[in-house]
Amino acid sequence: MLFKKMLRDMKEHKMQFVAIFLMSFITLLAFAGIGSEVQGLQDNLNNYYNETNMADAYVLGSNFNKTVVNDFKNLSSTTGIETQFVVKSIADLEDEPTVTLHFLKKNKISKYYPVEGKKINFSDADGIWLDARFAEAKNLTVGDNISVKFNGITLNKTIRGLGYSPDYVYEQPENGLVSDFKYQGFGYLSEKAYPGEDMPHNKLLLTTNATTPDYYHQTRAMLEDKGYDDIINGTSFMPREDSSSDDQIQDEIKQHIVLAVMFPIIFVVVALLILLTTMTRIVNQQRTQIGTLKAIGFENRPLILHYLSYGFYLTLIGSVLGIIVGHNTIPYIFVDTMKSYYTLPCWNPGFNISFIIVALLIVLGSVLCSYFAVASIIREPPSVTLKAKPPKVSKIGFIENTWIWNKMGFNLRWNTRDVNRHKLRTLIALVGVIGCTVLLISAFGMQDGVNDLKTWKYDDINHYETQLVLDDNVSQSQIDSIIKEVNGTPVMTKTIQIEANGIKKMQVLTVHDKSPLITPTDKDRQEIKLPKNGISISEKTAEIYGLKVGDKIKWHLYGNETWISSTVKDIYGDPSVQGITITKECAEKNNISFKPTEIVTAKNVTGNLDGVGSYNSHKDLTNSWDKLSQTANLLIIILVIFAVILAIVVLYSLGLLGFTEVERDMATLKVLGFQLSDLRKLFITQYLGISIVGFIIGVPTGYYVLEAIRSNTDKLYYPTDYSLTTIAISFVITIIVSAIVNLLLANQLKNIDMVEALKKERE
């Protein structure tokens, strides 16, 4: 009997119950979908690291002899060690791509992951095991020959296999901002392939059972105790998390987590408020039914369970379906874009217990909302429940005691009193519009940020036409010749480590003198001058470390463990390169030899110059930025879609509920002579007004959401701001959705059954 009653109630209030179902479904669709993508990325990465025994740390130097290697090996916290000789070479292929060669005796740490061909044969002096993605870009297959040149030596090798490496999940770009495998790759070779008898070892791969800070201090203490001063000054310790590969992908994961968390907060609140409103209305309408059931012998417990089941089943089914659909759809939307940046052997979606927890919280919340709606009536005796509920007394609001009330027309007066009578319904509609606005502002604000960064980087800061990336072994005479020929400005960039306020991270040192081709700017994109006798740090670096002008920091170059103590003299803004920028004079005062790594010029240079490894034109760099923004564009599309869905579901379901609540009033107005157009105007005015108020509140709220997204990346810096265009577009979308929904609802007015409507009790 009660089950049939529940089916009848759901049919009568189907739109409200559909809204509750959709809210729970969409919540878990978004949360589990984005969460599955993030968790899958993290799980696949961790599994890959475990399977290949990813190194915990690296020591980079010029040549480590057997004694030094054994001293590292004998540390109690060292669980594994390997040596490699790593050198960049130029392949004899179109575009002269860079191939980073790894000569090795064994490969038990950061193991090469074969996808085609044979495993590495350490007795093979003629073979090379190549980066699979580089091979694909260059149409190379197993059995092909490849010629590479480094340090004046040419090697001709046969490709024995194609594969991946955990050290190259993200490959630091040789050209532009995004890895392009036409221009770069890596290769693994046996040490027997080294062209000489005494191969140096310039890289140590280490695994440890200690934490990164502890292991660093232990290795440092060991080197000091052994008297390896030359090793200390000529090497650098790089933990896995500071490697460009791991650092980049972990930064990507952090940004996606913010979006995964943002969705349930908005949608869960709206879903539960809609359920509370709907259940309260149903229970109030069925007072007489409840009293009759109690009078014929039904206990309180089965009646309470009956009404609790309404929200329980809807949110349970919606949540379960949301998890299933989200897990199996949204992660795959990101796969192609993520594959263009990162290299993993597996891209399966992941699963997290938080999906179940959020679903259980929604179901529990629905049960509590239903209980609050029914508890007070169930506790009443049948004699009281059988009586009709007294109509609400419309209290005189504050505005009705002011002169403003007399200036208001009938439309505004009627809607003001209706809002005052149905505060909860109005609040939910307001929250729904605020949520919609926040999502839209976040989406278009992200787009503003991406577009502004491109303009800031390549119009306001950099004014050169070509960037010439120099070879590692370029001579000073070659550098001077290139500068003279292209009338260029030399720039040096080096990887550094900064320590301040208990934080130690990898950053970038940029060294250049004043030039019309490079204009340093502050965070407001206004030109500034680099200090002559001090360092300038980027806004993002200052934010990460909690620094301000006048603070002290320590830093050192990778490859040199000598720490430099400096005072922050200025803070500059840069969208993509975070760290320290100094002049040549400042570098020399800190005993840093200035050797350019690139030369920038206003000329369009495409020719082959000795000492130049690659050429990046202005167009290449801007195209690279566009590729970098692909993931952001996907997120923007998803946010806009969910924002529109939220607005439609909330406004339509609550509008329909509001329509049933005022149906008797509308019928009365029709009897008094009001035309259908007048009633439509009454109805539409209220929800358009709520939409405008919700939008006004949502605009500043979206700022804080955008700030949370922005602050979760260590790589990019952009001020949290959005343009008037963004606000205008968000407003137009919100109002159009609201107007369409309300026009659909207003058309319900012509279907009012006058007799039945006037029989209804006033609420």
Side-chain angles (χ1 to χ4, degrees):
M1 177 180 175
L2 291 178
F3 180 73
K4 290 181 178 179
K5 176 180 174 301
M6 182 178 70
L7 294 178
R8 288 197 302 270
D9 290 341
M10 286 189 172
K11 184 177 180 181
E12 182 179 350
H13 301 276
K14 60 183 178 182
M15 284 310 304
Q16 283 72 45
F17 285 122
V18 166
I20 295 165
F21 167 81
L22 284 176
M23 285 291 102
S24 57
F25 173 76
I26 293 170
T27 300
L28 269 301
L29 174 72
F31 181 59
I34 299 177
S36 292
E37 186 264 336
V38 175
Q39 190 64 48
L41 188 57
Q42 188 71 72
D43 289 346
N44 294 328
L45 182 67
N46 292 340
N47 292 337
Y48 185 36
Y49 282 173
N50 292 333
E51 186 177 352
T52 56
N53 192 27
M54 175 69 167
D56 296 313
Y58 309 86
V59 179
L60 311 175
S62 57
N63 190 10
F64 301 104
N65 58 42
K66 289 183 179 180
T67 303
V68 174
V69 173
N70 285 332
D71 287 333
F72 273 99
K73 184 178 181 179
N74 292 333
L75 280 172
S76 59
S77 52
T78 299
T79 57
I81 184 170
E82 284 184 9
T83 61
Q84 292 183 1
F85 174 62
V86 183
V87 63
K88 286 187 176 182
S89 69
I90 302 298
D92 185 16
L93 297 168
E94 185 182 359
D95 302 317
E96 296 188 331
T98 300
V99 179
T100 304
L101 304 178
H102 295 249
F103 294 89
L104 51 158
K105 184 175 182 179
K106 57 181 179 178
N107 188 218
K108 299 294 184 183
I109 301 175
S110 292
K111 292 186 289 186
Y112 176 80
Y113 187 96
V115 295
E116 185 180 341
K118 300 176 181 179
K119 294 182 179 180
I120 297 177
N121 181 352
F122 298 101
S123 299
D124 188 346
D126 299 317
I128 184 171
W129 285 258
L130 206 58
D131 180 353
R133 302 194 66 180
F134 171 75
E136 181 183 4
K138 292 298 183 181
N139 296 315
L140 298 172
T141 60
V142 175
D144 288 349
N145 293 321
I146 183 171
S147 178
V148 295
K149 183 171 66 174
F150 68 94
N151 298 339
I153 301 169
T154 300
L155 298 181
N156 294 297
K157 300 298 176 183
T158 301
I159 300 172
R160 307 292 193 199
L162 306 175
Y164 306 144
S165 168
D167 286 336
Y168 292 96
V169 172
Y170 172 78
E171 296 193 33
Q172 191 69 26
E174 292 289 335
N175 288 54
L177 298 168
V178 181
S179 305
D180 190 332
F181 297 100
K182 291 188 301 183
Y183 301 106
Q184 66 190 96
F186 63 84
Y188 279 68
L189 305 94
S190 164
E191 68 174 1
K192 294 183 182 298
Y194 181 74
E197 295 182 1
D198 202 8
M199 185 182 80
H201 299 91
N202 59 6
K203 185 175 184 179
L204 301 182
L205 287 75
L206 301 149
T207 57
T208 177
N209 54 20
T211 62
T212 294
D214 288 346
Y215 193 57
Y216 168 75
H217 291 303
Q218 289 169 21
T219 57
R220 177 83 177 190
M222 180 272 291
L223 292 172
E224 290 175 348
D225 290 343
K226 298 289 184 179
Y228 291 133
D229 292 338
D230 57 333
I231 299 292
I232 293 173
N233 294 327
T235 64
S236 61
F237 178 90
M238 182 170 69
R240 178 201 296 178
E241 54 267 26
D242 272 0
S243 68
S244 60
S245 174
D246 188 69
D247 181 54
Q248 180 69 33
I249 195 168
Q250 297 294 355
D251 191 66
E252 183 87 41
I253 290 170
K254 283 195 301 182
Q255 294 179 66
H256 288 214
I257 288 173
V258 174
L259 292 173
V261 172
M262 183 174 68
F263 277 104
I265 294 174
I266 296 173
F267 283 83
V268 168
V269 170
V270 173
L272 295 182
L273 287 174
I274 291 176
L275 177 64
L276 179 61
T277 303
T278 303
M279 290 307 300
T280 301
R281 175 170 175 76
I282 290 173
V283 170
N284 287 336
Q285 281 184 335
Q286 296 183 358
R287 284 179 60 87
T288 305
Q289 291 184 34
I290 294 170
T292 302
L293 291 170
K294 291 178 71 173
I296 63 176
F298 276 85
E299 299 288 338
N300 286 350
R301 187 169 179 274
L303 288 176
I304 290 176
L305 291 176
H306 166 69
Y307 284 102
L308 295 187
S309 66
Y310 285 56
F312 175 82
Y313 289 122
L314 288 169
T315 53
L316 178 63
I317 295 171
S319 298
V320 170
L321 287 177
I323 292 174
I324 294 171
V325 175
H327 177 76
N328 290 288
T329 55
I330 291 181
Y332 298 101
I333 296 174
F334 290 92
V335 166
D336 287 341
T337 302
M338 297 299 288
K339 279 183 176 180
S340 66
Y341 303 134
Y342 307 106
T343 303
L344 289 172
C346 181
W347 289 92
N348 294 328
F351 192 85
N352 193 294
I353 191 63
S354 62
F355 305 164
I356 304 296
I357 293 173
V358 171
L360 291 176
L361 288 175
I362 292 177
V363 174
L364 178 61
S366 73
V367 170
L368 290 175
C369 288
S370 299
Y371 179 78
F372 290 144
V374 74
S376 60
I377 294 178
I378 293 296
R379 284 195 294 266
E380 295 175 353
S383 58
V384 175
T385 311
L386 283 167
K387 295 178 181 178
K389 184 181 179 181
K392 288 182 180 179
V393 177
S394 183
K395 297 180 181 179
I396 297 176
F398 168 76
I399 197 170
E400 295 182 39
N401 289 319
T402 66
W403 60 270
I404 299 175
W405 184 256
N406 295 325
K407 299 292 184 180
M408 293 168 62
F410 175 78
N411 190 314
L412 288 177
R413 289 187 182 186
W414 189 91
N415 278 306
T416 301
R417 285 178 170 166
D418 188 62
V419 166
N420 190 42
R421 283 201 308 270
H422 303 101
K423 297 184 181 69
L424 182 59
R425 188 191 75 212
T426 303
L427 174 65
I428 300 170
L430 196 62
V431 170
V433 175
I434 292 172
C436 170
T437 304
V438 166
L439 295 179
L440 289 173
I441 287 290
S442 300
F444 294 119
M446 285 172 61
Q447 189 177 43
D448 277 350
V450 170
N451 292 336
D452 283 348
L453 296 194
K454 180 180 175 181
T455 304
W456 187 8
K457 182 73 176 179
Y458 297 111
D459 289 340
D460 298 343
I461 297 176
N462 297 327
H463 312 294
Y464 51 80
E465 180 59 33
T466 310
Q467 176 192 56
L468 288 71
V469 181
L470 303 177
D471 290 332
D472 290 340
N473 59 348
V474 64
S475 67
Q476 187 59 49
S477 61
Q478 287 176 312
I479 293 172
D480 294 338
S481 174
I482 295 167
I483 293 173
K484 183 178 180 180
E485 182 166 344
V486 302
N487 190 26
T489 297
V491 179
M492 182 176 80
T493 59
K494 292 287 185 180
T495 303
I496 60 173
Q497 190 175 54
I498 300 176
E499 183 176 8
N501 294 329
I503 301 171
K504 188 186 290 185
K505 280 183 173 291
M506 181 180 69
Q507 300 277 279
V508 176
L509 171 69
T510 305
V511 185
H512 63 79
D513 282 338
K514 184 177 180 181
S515 167
L517 300 177
I518 305 173
T519 304
T521 65
D522 60 17
K523 65 179 182 180
D524 298 317
R525 297 162 70 166
Q526 299 299 312
E527 182 178 354
I528 62 171
K529 293 182 179 180
L530 294 177
K532 292 184 178 179
N533 298 312
I535 67 166
S536 180
I537 64 172
S538 68
E539 282 283 351
K540 190 66 183 182
T541 300
E543 182 182 296
I544 292 170
Y545 290 89
L547 297 170
K548 61 184 183 299
V549 173
D551 287 348
K552 294 276 188 180
I553 67 169
K554 292 196 306 178
W555 56 282
H556 73 91
L557 295 171
Y558 267 109
N560 188 334
E561 284 292 291
T562 302
W563 288 86
I564 300 169
S565 181
S566 301
T567 300
V568 177
K569 294 290 187 180
D570 205 350
I571 298 176
Y572 66 93
D574 192 288
S576 61
V577 180
Q578 310 308 327
I580 295 174
T581 296
I582 57 176
T583 61
K584 286 170 57 178
E585 180 182 351
C586 181
E588 290 165 0
K589 286 181 179 179
N590 287 288
N591 297 316
I592 297 173
S593 176
F594 179 77
K595 183 180 180 182
T597 54
E598 62 190 60
I599 295 171
V600 296
T601 174
K603 295 182 178 180
N604 184 12
V605 182
T606 58
N608 294 322
L609 298 173
D610 288 339
V612 177
S614 60
Y615 302 82
N616 297 324
S617 69
H618 183 273
K619 184 178 180 181
D620 291 335
L621 292 169
T622 54
N623 288 342
S624 182
W625 186 275
D626 292 337
K627 185 178 179 182
L628 182 69
S629 64
Q630 285 179 358
T631 301
N633 292 334
L634 267 178
L635 294 173
I636 289 165
I637 293 169
I638 289 174
L639 285 172
V640 171
I641 290 172
F642 279 109
V644 172
I645 292 173
L646 175 65
I648 290 173
V649 172
V650 171
L651 292 176
Y652 190 78
S653 61
L654 290 176
L656 198 60
L657 180 63
F659 176 81
T660 57
E661 288 174 340
V662 298
E663 193 174 3
R664 186 177 187 277
D665 295 335
M666 291 294 178
T668 303
L669 291 174
K670 287 183 75 173
V671 170
L672 293 174
F674 279 76
Q675 299 298 313
L676 183 60
S677 59
D678 297 323
L679 300 182
R680 281 179 174 170
K681 186 178 178 182
L682 279 176
F683 200 85
I684 292 172
T685 299
Q686 182 177 142
Y687 282 93
L688 281 178
I690 291 172
S691 298
I692 293 172
V693 173
F695 179 82
I696 292 171
I697 298 172
V699 169
T701 306
Y703 176 91
Y704 295 102
V705 174
L706 197 59
E707 172 68 14
I709 297 172
R710 183 198 70 82
S711 63
N712 268 272
T713 174
D714 294 342
K715 299 296 181 185
L716 299 178
Y717 171 77
Y718 52 93
T720 304
D721 198 6
Y722 29 80
S723 64
L724 290 175
T725 303
T726 286
I727 296 174
I729 293 173
S730 301
F731 179 76
V732 168
I733 292 175
T734 303
I735 296 304
I736 287 177
V737 170
S738 177
I740 291 173
V741 169
N742 284 297
L743 284 171
L744 292 174
L745 290 168
N747 286 333
Q748 298 284 335
L749 292 169
K750 60 185 178 183
N751 299 324
I752 293 178
D753 188 323
M754 300 288 288
V755 176
E756 291 298 322
L758 290 170
K759 286 180 181 178
K760 290 185 177 181
E761 297 174 3
R762 179 181 295 276
E763 296 190 19

